[in-house]
């Protein structure tokens, strides 16, 4: 069966169907060359990606430099060693995977022009797209793909290849990957930035040399880079999408404070910003000189508990905190109708989200006091809430949490530190509880759940050390169970257990809020928050 990859956005389907039958039967997905660019901007959650005034005929204009304000610098470009957005969304401009996803989270061929999956789900054969070259002009080969994936298997890293891969075979323009057992999220896993393709043997350079000046098939090439400041790209003259990127250059400008980013956008000092404060969304949307991009994403704003902390190791304490918080009120006060209140961990944009069915702990101050009374700290205690500075929304949430917990006898001190130090602290488990967000890198629920609930994974349950035997068992079942009602039930049960035991409190599902000047067009935002800058172009001035 041949399936043409979609050119209009719709709800994601996570990987091929696997009906029973002979192994020789296969599922094929292919994308015509004419459809190599992603679909037009999607209207999601009632909010459209805005667009400024178009040039005559709306035809893209080549040339120019787009300056993009970001709250954190890119400090490493090693795709197998990184996880945070500051690095991920620079890496994915340089390296590209075999398969990718569009604005709706639909898996589609990318460096692979098509792929076939055996009926038993064990053998994946990828046919490489012809004419793809690295930024140094060298042709992409199957050996490059095999080297890249094997290097990822060897390194592991924060986003490891979890699929049970038994072999990777490089053929003439094809790569065959064989699994030892079915692994339902495999294609979704391959679509993440950490599975981008680099030249075999680092193109003859050492690892250190290569990642200082990386070579990939992506639309941009590193020009100048300050790991504690700005990152400048120039267009890849060998990019395989004809005529793209339209931009001559792309500059990532480090702006630590979100309000400063908004001010620089309004003043035209930058062309776009990665993070629009929710409080400023309406202002940017209503200004003729700027455009608001608001799209649904794969992110959940949360409160995380360090379960090795004596207070938050107590489930009754965690449940008391959850009961003391008015999540509806927090969302209303801090997101200005740009987010949806969260009941479950998984955003509704990810398959098998149970947000409409999970029984979350609702706001009830008396019930919160009862939970605390059942804990080892019935008279309350003092604790510290860790947040990153420069984020006005999280500062406001922290104040609401502080006041609410004070009502039940928990005295909260707010500690606000710069983003880099914040990340170092929570990754060292040096915190009591914190405000942060969970972000999926791919459309399948496995990635999100594994990162936040696997005590043996890289993040040790998102640096909470949360462990539950039933959740661990269900996670493994979810990876091998075919798509359908049984798999849906597995993820539904996981989300209910997490809602009951509260290792973290999902607060709301924020939209991806980004802003551009009115001269920027085709600013396409993916659900993971990355931007397809190969599609973007800047309207020529008068």
């Amino acid at each position: 069966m041949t399936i043409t990859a979609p050119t209009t956005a719709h709800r994601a389907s996570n990987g091929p169907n696997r009906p029973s039958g002979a192994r020789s039967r296969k599922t094929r997905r292919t994308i015509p060359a004419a459809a190599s660019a992603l679909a037009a901007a999607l209207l999601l959650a009632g909010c459209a990606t805005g667009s400024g005034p178009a040039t005559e005929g709306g035809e893209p204009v080549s040339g120019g430099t787009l300056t993009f304000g970001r709250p954190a610098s890119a400090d490493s470009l090693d795709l197998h060693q990184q996880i945070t957005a500051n690095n991920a969304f620079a890496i994915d401009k340089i390296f590209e995977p075999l398969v990718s996803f569009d604005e709706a989270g639909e898996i589609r061929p990318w460096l692979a022009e098509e792929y076939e999956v055996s009926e038993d789900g064990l053998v994946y054969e990828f046919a490489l797209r012809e004419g793809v070259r690295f930024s140094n002009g060298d042709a992409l080969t199957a050996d490059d793909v095999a080297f890249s994936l094997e290097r990822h298997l060897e390194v592991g890293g924060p986003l490891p290849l979890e699929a049970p891969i038994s072999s990777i075979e490089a053929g003439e323009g094809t790569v065959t990957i064989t699994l030892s057992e079915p692994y339902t999220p495999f294609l979704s896993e391959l679509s993440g930035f950490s599975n981008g393709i680099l030249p075999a043997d680092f193109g003859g350079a050492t690892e250190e040399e290569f990642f200082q000046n990386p070579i990939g098939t992506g639309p941009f090439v590193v020009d100048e880079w300050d790991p504690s400041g700005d990152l400048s790209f120039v267009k890849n003259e060998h990019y395989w999408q004809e005529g793209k990127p339209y931009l001559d250059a792309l500059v990532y400008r480090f702006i630590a404070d979100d309000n400063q980013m908004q001010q620089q956008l309004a003043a035209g000092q930058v062309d776009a910003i990665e993070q629009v404060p929710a409080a400023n969304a309406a202002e940017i949307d209503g200004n003729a000189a700027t455009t608001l991009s608001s799209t649904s994403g794969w992110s959940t704003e949360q409160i995380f508990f360090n379960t090795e902390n004596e207070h938050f190791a107590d489930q009754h304490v965690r449940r008391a905190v959850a009961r003391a918080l008015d999540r509806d009120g927090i969302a209303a006060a801090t997101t200005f109708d740009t987010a949806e209140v969260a009941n479950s961990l998984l955003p509704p944009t990810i398959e098998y989200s149970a947000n409409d069915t999970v029984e979350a702990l609702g706001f009830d101050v008396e019930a919160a006091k009862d939970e605390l009374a059942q804990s080892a700290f019935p008279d309350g205690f003092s604790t510290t809430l860790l947040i990153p500075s420069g984020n006005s929304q999280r500062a406001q949430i922290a104040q609401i949490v502080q006041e609410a917990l004070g009502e039940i006898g928990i005295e909260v001190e707010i500690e606000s530190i710069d983003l880099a130090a914040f990340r170092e602290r929570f990754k060292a488990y040096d915190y009591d509880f914190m405000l942060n967000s969970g972000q999926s890198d791919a459309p399948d629920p496995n990635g999100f759940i594994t990162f936040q609930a696997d005590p043996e994974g890289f993040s040790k349950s998102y640096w909470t050390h949360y462990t539950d035997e039933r959740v661990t068992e269900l996670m493994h079942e979810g990876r091998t169970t075919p798509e359908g009602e049984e798999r849906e039930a597995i993820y539904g049960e996981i989300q209910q257990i997490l809602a009951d035991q509260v290792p973290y409190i999902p607060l709301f599902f924020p939209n991806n809020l980004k802003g551009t000047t009115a001269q920027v067009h085709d600013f396409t935002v993916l659900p993971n928050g990355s931007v397809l800058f190969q599609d973007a172009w800047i309207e020529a001035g008068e």
Side-chain angles (χ1 to χ4, degrees):
M1 178 171 63
T2 300
I3 303 175
T4 301
T7 56
T8 55
H10 57 278
R11 188 169 178 81
S13 62
N14 298 298
N17 295 322
R18 296 192 178 94
S20 60
R23 178 170 172 170
S24 60
R25 293 178 59 199
K26 298 181 178 181
T27 299
R28 171 173 294 201
R29 295 184 182 227
T30 181
I31 180 169
S36 61
L38 289 181
L42 173 67
L43 303 186
L44 286 171
C47 292
T49 300
S51 60
T55 56
E56 185 176 351
E59 292 298 320
V61 173
S62 295
T65 297
L66 190 151
T67 301
F68 189 47
R70 307 186 77 212
S73 299
D75 56 22
S76 172
L77 299 176
D78 186 339
L79 70 172
H80 301 142
Q81 301 279 16
Q82 297 306 314
I83 188 170
T84 52
N86 59 313
N87 293 320
F89 300 157
I91 288 168
D92 68 4
K93 306 301 176 285
I94 304 165
F95 305 107
E96 298 179 310
L98 290 171
V99 295
S100 189
F101 50 84
D102 62 14
E103 306 97 301
E106 182 75 28
I107 295 292
R108 57 189 296 145
W110 203 250
L111 292 186
E113 188 169 28
E114 62 181 30
Y115 58 84
E116 296 178 356
V117 185
S118 64
E119 189 66 20
D120 60 4
L122 296 179
V123 181
Y124 291 71
E125 184 176 300
F126 299 88
L128 300 185
R129 189 181 298 277
E130 293 183 3
V132 177
R133 295 186 175 275
F134 288 103
S135 57
N136 65 354
D138 291 346
L140 171 73
T141 69
D143 288 334
D144 298 317
V145 176
F147 172 81
S148 302
L149 297 181
E150 287 168 355
R151 198 250 181 180
H152 195 186
L153 287 170
E154 179 182 352
V155 171
L159 292 172
L161 264 172
E162 298 281 9
I165 296 173
S166 59
S167 69
I168 302 173
E169 300 175 17
E172 188 64 35
T174 63
V175 177
T176 302
I177 303 175
T178 303
L179 309 182
S180 59
E181 64 177 343
Y183 186 80
T184 305
F186 185 44
L187 288 173
S188 177
E189 193 170 89
L190 284 180
S191 72
F193 76 91
S194 61
N195 286 305
I197 307 304
L198 53 148
D201 299 318
F202 306 105
T206 66
E207 286 190 38
E208 183 178 0
E209 290 170 342
F210 179 82
F211 288 112
Q212 288 298 317
N213 189 25
I215 296 168
T217 66
F220 294 96
V221 182
V222 173
D223 183 29
E224 296 183 1
W225 176 29
D226 177 358
S228 61
D230 298 347
L231 170 61
S232 299
F233 299 96
V234 293
K235 71 186 297 181
N236 177 3
E237 299 290 350
H238 300 284
Y239 193 49
W240 57 273
Q241 291 190 38
E242 187 176 356
K244 294 184 180 181
Y246 300 115
L247 300 169
D248 288 335
L250 171 66
V251 176
Y252 280 1
R253 179 174 295 171
F254 172 45
I255 306 171
D257 183 82
D258 55 7
N259 285 310
Q260 287 183 19
M261 275 197 289
Q262 184 266 335
Q263 291 167 9
Q264 289 194 28
L265 178 70
Q269 296 171 325
V270 296
D271 301 293
I273 58 175
E274 186 171 56
Q275 183 174 297
V276 172
N280 301 116
E283 178 183 351
I284 289 177
D285 192 38
N287 187 337
T290 56
T291 299
L292 176 71
S293 170
S294 177
T295 57
S296 294
W298 293 336
S299 178
T300 308
E301 188 73 10
Q302 302 167 67
I303 293 173
F304 291 83
F305 298 107
N306 181 354
T307 63
E308 290 192 326
N309 175 276
E310 63 170 337
H311 301 121
F312 298 120
D314 192 320
Q315 183 172 301
H316 287 295
V317 170
R318 302 196 303 266
R319 287 174 61 90
V321 174
R323 285 290 200 186
L325 298 180
D326 178 3
R327 288 176 291 109
D328 292 273
I330 289 173
T334 65
T335 73
F336 300 86
D337 296 323
T338 64
E340 178 180 353
V341 176
N343 295 315
S344 70
L345 177 62
L346 288 179
T349 47
I350 293 180
E351 196 73 36
Y352 308 136
S353 168
N355 196 55
D356 292 336
T357 58
V358 74
E359 296 181 11
L361 297 173
F363 175 48
D364 187 329
V365 175
E366 292 306 313
K369 292 178 179 178
D370 289 342
E371 285 283 359
L372 194 62
Q374 297 175 60
S375 76
F377 310 96
D379 297 324
F381 56 90
S382 298
T383 189
T384 300
L385 176 61
L386 186 68
I387 65 171
S389 61
N391 187 311
S392 54
Q393 183 182 70
R394 285 185 181 160
Q396 187 179 6
I397 294 171
Q399 292 171 359
I400 295 172
V401 171
Q402 182 183 53
E403 182 177 352
L405 297 192
E407 294 292 317
I408 64 170
I410 300 176
E411 183 180 338
V412 176
E413 177 185 350
I414 299 170
E415 183 179 5
S416 178
I417 59 178
D418 74 81
L419 184 58
F422 172 76
R423 286 172 173 158
E424 290 178 3
R425 283 277 298 276
F426 76 72
K427 288 180 179 180
Y429 307 97
D430 184 14
Y431 75 100
D432 298 340
F433 69 141
M434 68 169 172
L435 285 173
N436 211 337
S437 62
Q439 169 74 60
S440 183
D441 295 289
D444 191 272
N446 172 69
F448 207 121
I449 295 295
T450 295
F451 199 79
Q452 292 213 188
D454 186 352
E456 299 302 320
F458 171 84
S459 70
K460 301 296 186 292
S461 300
Y462 207 124
W463 295 278
T464 66
H465 274 298
Y466 167 73
T467 303
D468 181 81
E469 290 184 5
R470 178 58 178 162
V471 169
T472 301
E473 177 186 359
L474 289 167
M475 272 193 304
H476 290 289
E477 290 181 12
R479 294 168 187 162
T480 58
T481 303
E483 302 291 4
E485 293 182 359
E486 184 179 354
R487 194 166 191 243
E488 181 177 18
I490 288 170
Y491 286 104
E493 184 176 349
I494 290 174
Q495 289 169 84
Q496 187 60 62
I497 293 172
L498 296 176
D500 292 337
Q501 297 185 0
V502 207
Y504 17 75
I505 303 173
L507 298 175
F508 53 82
F509 305 119
N511 274 3
N512 288 318
L513 298 177
K514 304 182 189 297
T516 72
T517 64
Q519 285 70 44
V520 175
H521 300 269
D522 292 342
F523 186 84
T524 305
V525 181
L526 295 176
N528 68 346
S530 187
V531 178
L532 293 178
F533 281 111
Q534 65 262 35
D535 293 340
W537 54 280
I538 299 176
E539 184 177 343
E542 294 294 333

